Amino acid sequence: MNNSKLKPLPVKRQTSTSNLKFGEASVELLSDFLCTLNNQNKSNLDKVSSVCGTIKDRRVVEHAFLICEEFRLDPLVAYHAIEILARQVPRQFMQKHIEKLFSQQKSEVCDGSVCEAKGNYEELVFQRLREKLSLFIVSSVQIASKVTLHTNVIDNSSALRYLRLVGSDCPKEKILESELLILKTLDFRVNVPNPLSFAETVLEVLGHNDPTTPVVHLHHLCRYVLQYVYLQRESIYGSLLMAVTGCLSPSLDQRAKFVSVTEDCILLGVGVIAVAAFIYQTSAWEKVVEELALITGISAKSIMDFVHVTLMHITKNNVK
């Protein structure tokens, strides 16, 4: 499950379409952006660590989506905000805090008999992060709203009103300090790629390569599928790990190697498109998978594995 080689349209120059809406980019611009996204994805995968993805806890993801819903922001802002918190960048913001907390928590609970009584480090760390995390999420959404130029911007007064609405008594100075802390920690490099950008870019390239592809309908479905996958991230990737290893209880080594799969935005993007294609027109989805494999270099089997696992979770939840 590794996108070792990308095969986009001919590339002429590097640029960005992060502030363009779906369907507005030219073929030339898409080529540039797809190549750039692939390079960024490879760079991120080279830096994965054992705590990657920890901050993408469902509660964090839900909070980011709810903030965007409250301020009527495009969901793109929520994905961008989550990546600001979690994505590998020169000095990853939350990773540094999480690694420190994990180390502290482990040393505290693993002192004699206490270690056996408390084993869920992730839950303990999340509880310790909860107070600061709420402010960090709001600040990340603020920053993401400013980067995404075609959406509204959350100013400090609006952020303060929201925090008070959810029961957090935070002075406006703390909001400003939180935003500045994130910006400085990331060296002001906040224009990070997010999974919705990957999915939309690949989908537009797919439409140019095969004009018969119903990209408008697929784009509409992709947004719902991606949100579902993000909210069910832990269970879906857990099932995918068992599917690719053939083990009901994968080893620690297998889990460690699989972290790069969970952080692969290209795989996530094409997987989401393929799921949407299956839902929209089952008879033609394999053709879409073949084209996605040609565009990205990800094997058709890897894409189909992702689709099967995701559809299994969707149908299971619908039955309930």
Side-chain angles (χ1 to χ4, degrees):
M1 308 198 76
N2 183 22
N3 58 312
S4 58
K5 187 177 181 182
L6 186 74
K7 300 175 183 176
L9 302 168
V11 177
K12 292 187 178 180
R13 67 173 184 276
Q14 294 295 322
T15 186
S16 172
T17 61
S18 59
N19 293 318
L20 293 176
K21 293 183 179 180
F22 182 79
E24 291 183 349
S26 64
V27 176
E28 185 181 65
L29 201 57
L30 282 172
S31 272
D32 293 348
F33 194 42
L34 186 57
C35 187
T36 300
L37 284 176
N38 182 63
N39 291 334
Q40 290 175 320
N41 189 58
K42 286 181 177 179
S43 176
N44 290 331
L45 295 180
D46 288 338
K47 302 172 186 174
V48 293
S49 73
S50 59
V51 298
C52 277
T54 304
I55 202 63
K56 294 178 184 178
D57 182 278
R58 177 168 182 157
R59 291 162 290 189
V60 174
V61 174
E62 283 182 335
H63 197 165
F65 282 134
L66 287 172
I67 294 172
C68 288
E69 186 177 317
E70 175 69 24
F71 288 99
R72 298 181 180 180
L73 301 174
D74 191 294
L76 175 68
V77 176
Y79 292 112
H80 201 124
I82 295 165
E83 292 304 319
I84 285 175
L85 284 172
R87 177 56 52 189
Q88 290 280 352
V89 287
R91 284 186 293 161
Q92 189 182 14
F93 178 62
M94 286 307 300
Q95 179 179 333
K96 186 165 62 177
H97 288 277
I98 292 173
E99 287 178 338
K100 183 178 179 180
L101 283 174
F102 261 87
S103 177
Q104 291 175 344
Q105 193 67 61
K106 187 172 183 179
S107 63
E108 290 175 10
V109 303
C110 286
D111 182 15
S113 59
V114 181
C115 183
E116 296 183 7
K118 298 180 180 179
N120 192 342
Y121 300 137
E122 291 188 9
E123 183 62 28
L124 292 171
V125 167
F126 189 87
Q127 293 300 327
R128 293 182 65 170
L129 275 172
R130 177 171 289 177
E131 292 185 10
K132 288 185 177 180
L133 195 56
S134 181
L135 179 57
F136 288 156
I137 295 171
V138 172
S139 296
S140 296
V141 174
Q142 276 188 280
I143 294 169
S145 71
K146 295 173 183 178
V147 173
T148 311
L149 298 182
H150 60 258
T151 189
N152 297 325
V153 171
I154 304 177
D155 58 26
N156 289 338
S157 296
S158 299
L160 177 62
R161 287 195 297 271
Y162 175 81
L163 286 168
R164 286 177 176 172
L165 182 67
V166 296
S168 179
D169 188 15
C170 179
K172 187 179 290 188
E173 292 76 15
K174 289 292 183 182
I175 297 174
L176 179 60
E177 289 174 6
S178 174
E179 186 176 2
L180 287 174
L181 174 61
I182 294 174
L183 289 171
K184 289 179 179 179
T185 304
L186 300 183
D187 292 328
F188 292 85
R189 294 185 176 185
V190 293
N191 194 20
V192 295
N194 67 77
L196 184 56
S197 295
F198 279 94
E200 289 184 334
T201 303
V202 174
L203 186 56
E204 286 198 66
V205 173
L206 179 64
H208 281 289
N209 288 354
D210 182 5
T212 65
T213 304
V215 291
V216 174
H217 297 291
L218 293 183
H219 179 244
H220 178 72
L221 284 171
C222 278
R223 289 197 156 212
Y224 288 104
V225 174
L226 181 58
Q227 189 173 68
Y228 176 84
V229 173
Y230 241 57
L231 290 170
Q232 300 292 333
R233 184 177 185 276
E234 183 177 355
S235 58
I236 287 177
Y237 279 110
S239 297
L240 187 59
L241 172 59
M242 288 188 286
V244 298
T245 60
C247 300
L248 293 177
S249 299
S251 65
L252 291 176
D253 184 56
Q254 288 173 320
R255 292 180 183 278
K257 292 179 179 178
F258 193 73
V259 172
S260 61
V261 176
T262 68
E263 296 302 305
D264 191 338
C265 281
I266 295 288
L267 173 63
L268 176 59
V270 297
V272 164
I273 294 171
V275 171
F278 184 93
I279 294 172
Y280 183 74
Q281 190 176 14
T282 307
S283 60
W285 83 286
E286 290 185 353
K287 180 183 176 183
V288 172
V289 170
E290 290 174 2
E291 189 61 37
L292 290 172
L294 288 173
I295 292 171
T296 63
I298 296 178
S299 71
K301 183 182 182 305
S302 293
I303 299 172
M304 288 182 175
D305 284 342
F306 186 96
V307 173
H308 290 153
V309 167
T310 303
L311 290 173
M312 178 186 69
H313 280 268
I314 291 174
T315 54
K316 181 176 67 176
N317 288 341
N318 283 341
V319 168
K320 291 180 179 180

